[in-house]
Amino acid sequence: QPIIDLRGRVHGYELLFRAGPEATFRGDGDQATRTMLDNSVLFGLEKLTGGLPAFVNCTQEALTGDMLHVLPASMTVLEILENLEPTPSLIEACRRLKKEGFRLALDDFTWKPEFDPLVHLADYIKVDFLQTGRVERQNLLRRLEGVTVALVAEKIETQEEYTQAC
């Protein structure tokens, strides 16, 4: 799925696993992550994304284990899923992955104080437009003042939402 910048150009691609014709994911997140990693190795990440960054959904197992090292760090953005707990082991794994050159994204982000260490490690914060209202998004912007991070709006469906996101 393409990720578009403010000028309408493709910035990167989110690599999504779907086990059938449905447009949504239902299933084992660890298996989905392993399948996407296998596909990236098999087909080549650069070929899949045309050399643009690949955003990959990552489970706790993926982030704290060694499986992500099959991906080129320079081309990969690791998405920390919204259902993960910011445990000390997860935060330390994210620090290690950042030192190795991976970029990090917080997926479907809503503000919670316990996520503060991850906010300061993140390169991207992804906000679901269908799940957040205008006031909630404005509050998030205020909380992120002084933090160097790129915001990504997800699930933009209309021109009006696109204008708001910009």
Side-chain angles (χ1 to χ4, degrees):
Q1 181 175 52
I3 297 172
I4 309 296
D5 69 13
L6 290 173
R7 294 179 194 95
R9 295 182 304 217
V10 177
H11 171 77
Y13 291 93
E14 183 170 1
L15 304 183
L16 298 169
F17 173 79
R18 299 295 181 258
E22 294 182 16
T24 59
F25 173 73
R26 291 184 182 87
D28 181 338
D30 288 321
Q31 180 61 39
T33 298
R34 284 191 294 274
T35 300
M36 290 310 302
L37 293 174
D38 289 348
N39 288 340
S40 297
V41 171
L42 184 63
F43 297 108
L45 195 59
E46 190 165 340
K47 187 173 183 179
L48 284 174
T49 67
L52 296 172
F55 287 65
V56 179
N57 291 317
C58 295
T59 61
Q60 177 89 20
E61 175 190 19
L63 292 163
T64 57
D66 289 330
M67 68 174 67
L68 295 171
H69 292 99
V70 299
L71 299 174
S74 63
M75 289 185 61
T76 307
V77 180
L78 305 174
E79 291 196 26
I80 302 166
L81 299 175
E82 65 277 7
N83 61 352
L84 297 183
E85 293 294 321
T87 63
S89 65
L90 178 69
I91 294 166
E92 184 52 40
C94 290
R95 282 190 184 113
R96 177 180 44 82
L97 290 162
K98 282 282 290 190
K99 286 180 184 172
E100 293 171 9
F102 288 98
R103 286 170 282 174
L104 301 176
L106 300 178
D107 192 31
D108 291 345
F109 187 75
T110 55
W111 182 263
K112 294 177 192 162
E114 60 269 23
F115 279 88
D116 195 53
L118 292 174
V119 166
H120 290 282
L121 289 172
D123 299 282
Y124 301 89
I125 291 181
K126 297 176 76 179
V127 178
D128 184 331
F129 252 60
L130 297 179
Q131 299 297 319
T132 58
R134 182 185 297 241
V135 172
E136 188 176 358
R137 292 189 300 266
Q138 289 172 339
N139 288 338
L140 178 59
L141 281 174
R142 278 193 283 284
R143 286 196 164 115
L144 292 174
E145 282 184 22
V147 177
T148 304
V149 65
L151 294 173
V152 177
E154 292 189 291
K155 301 186 180 130
I156 302 297
E157 302 288 337
T158 67
Q159 187 63 41
E160 180 184 345
E161 289 170 342
Y162 175 78
T163 301
Q164 286 177 23
C166 289

